Amino acid sequence: TGPMSSECLGNLLRITLSTEYFVDKYLSFAVVDQSGVAWELDEVMASQCGYTVTYSNWSSIEFRASALSCHSHLEKDVFTVTLQIKASHTPDMENAATHLKSASCHYGPWSPRELVCESNYMEVSVRKEVPQTVEDFIQDEPEDWTLAFPEVKPEEASIWQIVFHQPEEKRALLVTDAWGAGYGLNTTDTRVLMRIPYTAEQIQLVEDQGITFSAVRSSIFYKQRWMILMVDTAMACPVDGVDYANKTIIWTVPKYIQLLSVGATSFKDVLVEAGVDLHKLSAKEMASRKYLLSNDSNAITMKIPIGAEGGYYKTSVNSGQHGMKYTINLFLEHQWEDNKWGLTKCTIIKEIETPFEHVELAITNNSNLSARLMNMTVGMFLPDVELVNLTIEGVTVAVREAVQHGYLIHEIRYANGSKAYVMQVPFDAPSIKKEYLRADMRAHILNVTLAFMIHPTSETFTVPVTTVSTTKDAVLPRARGYCDGRSLHLIITRGNVDQDWVPFISDWHLTTEAAQKYNYTLRDNGSHWAVSVPFLSSHVNYEDFHTSGIKASLHLTLKDGVTFANRTDFSVSCRFSPSELIKCLPNGTVVITAVKFVGISDLDISLLVLRDRECKPSLVTEKTATFKFNVNTCGTNRKFNSTAMIYENEVLYFKRGSDTPVYQLKFACSYAIKQTVDVRYESKKNPPPSIKPGVGSLALSLKLFKEKSYSELYQDLEYPVVKYLREALYFEVELLQPQDARLDLNLNDCWATNSQSQDSLPQWPILTNGCANSEDSYRTVLHRIDSSSRVKFPQHLKRFEVRMFTFVQGTALLQE
């Protein structure tokens, strides 16, 4: 059949476009007249000329044309319509392919009056019944049309006119004006036609038996020689009458409505038939589909179970929620006779769409744990749904690009036309979140949002997909602890669940900066944590004290970095030598550190004392108290034996009002009475002193004095100093810092300038290489400096005398 197929359905022609051929293409429709001119269709022209384009049944495209459409060719009850379709992959219709389809249909016999209620227009055609005229009759004077029919405007006799009968007035329009207003008017050899869109200005909404009709009461006038032909072109089409009850569609159409039966007094049904998609159904076919067609004296009623054969479901969206509606294209043909019109045929095409029904989408997790692959099925969907993109971690990607993020997506189609989408993602994809559960269990969490589009409406909706797969692949961190005599060390090998875990000691978050504050060490290279804490530290627990040593432990907890829930604990315990608590210095100074043991909660370590209770700790931390004293103080006892002198004391803790200590730590320092120490030395001559150049910071001052004695200097308020030519200026340069007697101040170069900038020109040398300028008429005089109350280091000062001069250029002064 090619890309298009045609079908004759009474007084309508239907052309159906192949979905497979025209999918994902932009289309334009045009109707070709007998002259070969293509008239492009839009909504206005379609409703005016008797054409309908519908998208139904999951993107199926239909074109319908009335037998009396504007561009159809009617000859001996056969009408022919030629349709032109252009299809392009771009909206600008560039490089569009053109397709022509011409089809002819036989229709007859025609009833005296035929009504068609299409989805976008109403149409009435009436048989012409014009009396035979006398061929040789010649009219001498033009008729007075206004007197004959006041509603008819006096115009040229060959022009049609239409009069609309409205409750408040009658309004007449010329054919050209009516056509410009969107009405369709036509005539054939035997019939007069009027077509009107539902949006026309003259449309009235009237009720009959509680059903609303879109109605027009009109008459068409035509002048033919000495006669005026008036045709009643009233029409009415139901716009509602649909109800829903018990999963059933109920469509009610009143019979013999008053607008179409003016002047008639008797009625008789000739034919009542109904069907789907313009195909009539027999009583047997209706029964098999559980349709019910009833015809009583006042109305015709059809009852259709929702979901019955003949209709179809289509996807819909309401407030962002996915759902569906059931749609069925019913039609009703009612023929009746009355004593005014004779036979009337009315064809009603009614597309019924049920209210929105929310549909919960199933998300099935078929993950393959052995293959470490998440496998989700999302659906079912109707065929009009297409997956267009995914949002992964806030980034939206097209379906074809999802594979770059580790997502493999394919579509599954089922025999009933429905479909589902399968999405496969490896457990190790970057967007898969991992969460530790317990023991060796770990959750792999997929969180992605799928965006879908509905054809042909282009509505969109999203489906959030969150899937969790649990596997036994958790690797917990493990630790190794050791001590080196001065510190406790923990080395933690990281697993695959602790990426967001953070280390805590007690309730203290251990960071690199915090560790440095306490002189701890924390290193993290991505695969290992290394923690080192000195033996005497606030976060070390002291558990017991024996002659073998002090048992100290360090406890570290890894917590969730978000919730701060405990995840796992590690600890290291070691015994340290008691000598770590005491230092006996050669000069007789003793440094003793007492520790607070676990389980002694009521001990205030700052109240520890020595035997002399006036001797209190010099340094107190949360768990330690350090005393520093001389062996001859604080109640220290001294003992002797044959080789050593022993000093003994105690660290004590007394409860308030008691003289009996509840904490007692005895300690002793032993000093050898006789001791021989071998010292190896060798003599070495001191090298001669040398001076090496270097870079340092010196503080210098330059002062101007009033006389040669250098006893009175100029103050800040006396500047600028005014002197006459050849008057003496007395300068002093002093090294202020450092005050080192070994340093000598030497002046190398000294010069005068014409401005405050030392680099400006011209310049005049005052000292060169420490000597007076030999070219100066009045040479600089260097003065000797002796020690005085003001001069502590004469070698740190230099004084010189300069005669006042000025800069000249030729014979002109540069500055006074």
Side-chain angles (χ1 to χ4, degrees):
T1 59
M4 293 181 282
S5 60
S6 62
E7 188 176 12
C8 298
L9 300 163
N11 58 351
L12 293 171
L13 164 68
R14 175 164 62 194
I15 296 177
T16 303
L17 279 63
S18 169
T19 304
E20 292 79 8
Y21 186 86
F22 290 103
V23 69
D24 295 333
K25 292 180 182 177
Y26 296 89
L27 304 178
S28 69
F29 293 82
V31 181
V32 182
D33 63 15
Q34 299 178 55
S35 303
V37 178
W39 299 82
E40 187 169 349
L41 282 184
D42 56 21
E43 291 184 5
V44 174
M45 180 179 176
S47 59
Q48 187 175 30
C49 283
Y51 304 117
T52 304
V53 178
T54 64
Y55 294 80
S56 60
N57 198 13
W58 307 318
S59 298
S60 175
I61 305 173
E62 289 186 4
F63 167 84
R64 294 196 295 269
S66 167
L68 297 176
S69 58
C70 292
H71 309 97
S72 64
H73 176 57
L74 184 64
E75 186 175 358
K76 295 181 180 181
D77 291 339
V78 175
F79 66 94
T80 302
V81 177
T82 301
L83 176 66
Q84 174 186 281
I85 294 180
K86 290 185 178 181
S88 174
H89 290 285
T90 57
D92 58 7
M93 303 306 291
E94 186 177 353
N95 300 321
T98 302
H99 306 270
L100 283 175
K101 180 68 176 181
S102 184
S104 299
C105 295
H106 178 272
Y107 178 67
W110 290 80
S111 300
R113 179 172 65 169
E114 295 200 1
L115 303 170
V116 176
C117 297
E118 251 286 11
S119 60
N120 59 330
Y121 64 85
M122 302 185 296
E123 179 182 286
V124 58
S125 68
V126 181
R127 180 187 299 164
K128 281 184 180 180
E129 296 187 22
V130 182
Q132 195 70 28
T133 60
V134 180
E135 292 291 337
D136 297 333
F137 177 80
I138 299 176
Q139 181 176 315
D140 296 325
E141 299 292 335
E143 299 91 340
D144 188 346
W145 290 90
T146 306
L147 292 177
F149 289 94
E151 293 85 356
V152 179
K153 295 181 180 179
E155 295 290 346
E156 297 180 14
S158 60
I159 297 178
W160 288 80
Q161 297 183 57
I162 179 170
V163 176
F164 292 99
H165 305 266
Q166 295 179 308
E168 63 278 2
E169 64 175 352
K170 294 181 177 65
R171 183 184 178 191
L173 292 177
L174 296 176
V175 172
T176 53
D177 295 332
W179 184 267
Y183 302 104
L185 302 170
N186 200 0
T187 181
T188 68
D189 293 340
T190 58
R191 303 192 73 77
V192 176
L193 168 87
M194 180 176 176
R195 189 180 298 111
I196 183 167
Y198 289 104
T199 57
E201 181 181 356
Q202 308 302 328
I203 290 283
Q204 301 175 54
L205 295 178
V206 299
E207 279 197 8
D208 193 301
Q209 302 179 41
I211 306 300
T212 302
F213 282 78
S214 182
V216 172
R217 178 78 174 90
S218 62
S219 300
I220 290 180
F221 292 85
Y222 181 74
K223 175 186 173 184
Q224 183 169 329
R225 294 191 179 183
W226 50 270
M227 292 179 298
I228 296 175
L229 173 67
M230 184 184 75
V231 180
D232 185 350
T233 51
M235 67 181 80
C237 291
V239 294
D240 58 17
V242 179
D243 200 3
Y244 308 94
N246 300 322
K247 298 289 185 179
T248 301
I249 300 170
I250 304 171
W251 181 32
T252 302
V253 181
K255 296 163 60 175
Y256 321 130
I257 67 172
Q258 192 272 338
L259 183 68
L260 300 178
S261 308
V262 177
T265 57
S266 63
F267 304 91
K268 182 181 73 172
D269 281 342
V270 175
L271 180 69
V272 174
E273 290 184 317
V276 176
D277 292 330
L278 293 175
H279 289 287
K280 296 177 182 179
L281 297 177
S282 65
K284 183 178 180 181
E285 290 173 319
M286 287 194 181
S288 68
R289 301 184 181 193
K290 297 182 180 180
Y291 295 1
L292 180 61
L293 177 64
S294 59
N295 180 18
D296 58 29
S297 59
N298 295 318
I300 301 169
T301 302
M302 283 192 74
K303 294 183 178 181
I304 310 292
I306 295 178
E309 180 186 354
Y312 62 95
Y313 285 99
K314 63 181 179 181
T315 308
S316 183
V317 178
N318 186 14
S319 299
Q321 297 294 311
H322 168 266
M324 64 181 182
K325 297 178 180 179
Y326 175 75
T327 300
I328 188 167
N329 294 312
L330 298 176
F331 91 97
L332 175 68
E333 182 179 309
H334 181 206
Q335 296 185 33
W336 73 88
E337 285 184 340
D338 58 46
N339 58 353
K340 178 186 178 183
W341 284 97
L343 183 63
T344 295
K345 177 182 177 182
C346 179
T347 302
I348 303 173
I349 300 172
K350 185 72 172 179
E351 182 181 64
I352 297 176
E353 184 178 87
T354 61
F356 175 85
E357 179 182 353
H358 175 67
V359 176
E360 195 71 36
L361 288 169
I363 300 174
T364 308
N365 185 356
N366 299 312
S367 296
N368 188 334
L369 302 183
S370 61
R372 298 183 59 78
L373 187 68
M374 302 191 85
N375 190 317
M376 284 72 58
T377 302
V378 183
M380 300 289 187
F381 295 102
L382 295 175
D384 57 353
V385 171
E386 178 188 4
L387 176 63
V388 290
N389 62 55
L390 302 82
T391 300
I392 306 168
E393 295 185 306
V395 179
T396 299
V397 297
V399 174
R400 62 181 177 275
E401 299 170 356
V403 66
Q404 300 173 12
H405 297 261
Y407 289 69
L408 184 62
I409 300 172
H410 63 274
E411 183 181 283
I412 299 176
R413 290 188 176 270
Y414 299 94
N416 63 358
S418 62
K419 61 182 177 181
Y421 288 92
V422 176
M423 180 167 53
Q424 296 178 331
V425 190
F427 282 175
D428 298 323
S431 61
I432 301 296
K433 302 300 180 186
K434 286 83 174 176
E435 183 176 312
Y436 174 62
L437 299 177
R438 62 192 178 277
D440 60 349
M441 303 299 292
R442 190 165 61 145
H444 299 262
I445 304 170
L446 168 69
N447 197 336
V448 63
T449 300
L450 308 180
F452 296 88
M453 179 181 289
I454 304 172
H455 296 289
T457 61
S458 296
E459 289 181 282
T460 59
F461 64 94
T462 59
V463 178
V465 177
T466 300
T467 305
V468 179
S469 295
T470 304
T471 59
K472 293 184 177 182
D473 64 350
V475 178
L476 293 173
R478 61 188 187 277
R480 178 176 63 89
Y482 68 95
C483 302
D484 59 6
R486 303 195 64 180
S487 298
L488 297 92
H489 305 273
L490 274 173
I491 298 178
I492 303 170
T493 303
R494 306 185 72 154
N496 61 8
V497 296
D498 50 36
Q499 293 81 5
D500 299 321
W501 296 2
V502 290
F504 275 75
I505 297 178
S506 299
D507 292 326
W508 178 61
H509 184 193
L510 183 60
T511 63
T512 303
E513 295 76 14
Q516 291 175 351
K517 178 181 177 182
Y518 286 91
N519 200 27
Y520 299 172
T521 301
L522 172 65
R523 295 187 298 275
D524 181 4
N525 64 3
S527 62
H528 293 81
W529 273 307
V531 180
S532 298
V533 176
F535 162 62
L536 294 175
S537 301
S538 299
H539 297 95
V540 171
N541 293 326
Y542 305 101
E543 300 179 3
D544 60 41
F545 193 178
H546 294 287
T547 55
S548 59
I550 303 170
K551 185 178 181 181
S553 61
L554 173 67
H555 297 271
L556 184 142
T557 301
L558 293 181
K559 296 188 177 186
D560 188 286
V562 178
T563 65
F564 294 105
N566 288 358
R567 289 304 188 184
T568 189
D569 298 286
F570 300 109
S571 65
V572 56
S573 296
C574 300
R575 286 200 176 272
F576 288 83
S577 170
S579 61
E580 292 295 322
L581 300 180
I582 188 168
K583 293 182 180 178
C584 302
L585 303 180
N587 64 357
T589 300
V590 178
V591 180
I592 179 71
T593 300
V595 297
K596 182 178 180 179
F597 291 99
V598 175
I600 309 178
S601 58
D602 58 348
L603 175 65
D604 185 350
I605 200 162
S606 65
L607 300 180
L608 291 174
V609 295
L610 297 179
R611 284 176 179 167
D612 182 350
R613 296 192 185 184
E614 295 301 318
C615 292
K616 298 178 180 179
S618 58
L619 177 64
V620 176
T621 67
E622 183 181 349
K623 296 180 181 179
T624 65
T626 301
F627 297 85
K628 185 176 182 180
F629 62 98
N630 188 272
V631 294
N632 297 316
T633 61
C634 296
T636 306
N637 293 333
R638 182 174 59 182
K639 295 180 180 180
F640 293 90
N641 59 28
S642 59
T643 59
M645 183 168 49
I646 302 170
Y647 293 89
E648 295 179 340
N649 208 325
E650 295 174 299
V651 179
L652 305 170
Y653 180 76
F654 299 90
K655 287 188 176 181
R656 191 179 301 274
S658 173
D659 291 329
T660 303
V662 296
Y663 179 99
Q664 188 175 23
L665 175 65
K666 293 183 178 182
F667 61 92
C669 282
S670 178
Y671 292 90
I673 296 177
K674 295 180 180 180
Q675 187 174 12
T676 301
V677 178
D678 293 329
V679 177
R680 180 180 178 183
Y681 72 95
E682 61 181 13
S683 62
K684 186 176 181 180
K685 293 181 179 180
N686 292 328
S690 62
I691 299 175
K692 295 183 179 180
V695 177
S697 178
L698 300 176
L700 299 170
S701 70
L702 174 63
K703 299 173 185 177
L704 178 61
F705 287 80
K706 294 181 178 180
E707 74 288 323
K708 191 174 182 179
S709 64
Y710 288 90
S711 59
E712 185 180 1
L713 64 96
Y714 285 100
Q715 302 300 321
D716 291 344
L717 294 177
E718 297 180 84
Y719 286 91
V721 176
V722 178
K723 289 286 186 179
Y724 293 102
L725 289 174
R726 289 190 290 279
E727 280 194 90
L729 297 171
Y730 301 97
F731 291 95
E732 178 184 273
V733 181
E734 181 179 6
L735 173 64
L736 301 177
Q737 292 291 339
Q739 293 186 355
D740 188 340
R742 294 174 297 175
L743 297 178
D744 283 347
L745 174 65
N746 293 294
L747 299 182
N748 193 37
D749 293 303
C750 179
W751 65 93
T753 64
N754 196 27
S755 69
Q756 293 184 0
S757 174
Q758 65 182 20
D759 298 322
S760 64
L761 297 174
Q763 296 179 356
W764 183 253
I766 294 172
L767 294 175
T768 302
N769 294 324
C771 300
N773 182 6
S774 59
E775 298 180 3
D776 201 336
S777 301
Y778 300 94
R779 293 192 178 184
T780 301
V781 178
L782 294 169
H783 294 291
R784 179 179 174 180
I785 301 170
D786 298 320
S787 296
S788 66
S789 60
R790 191 174 75 83
V791 180
K792 183 178 180 182
F793 302 112
Q795 65 272 30
H796 288 186
L797 276 79
K798 285 293 184 288
R799 291 171 179 169
F800 57 89
E801 174 186 338
V802 179
R803 296 290 177 173
M804 186 66 186
F805 67 92
T806 185
F807 289 95
V808 296
Q809 185 172 3
T811 59
L813 296 177
L814 291 180
Q815 183 177 1
E816 295 198 8

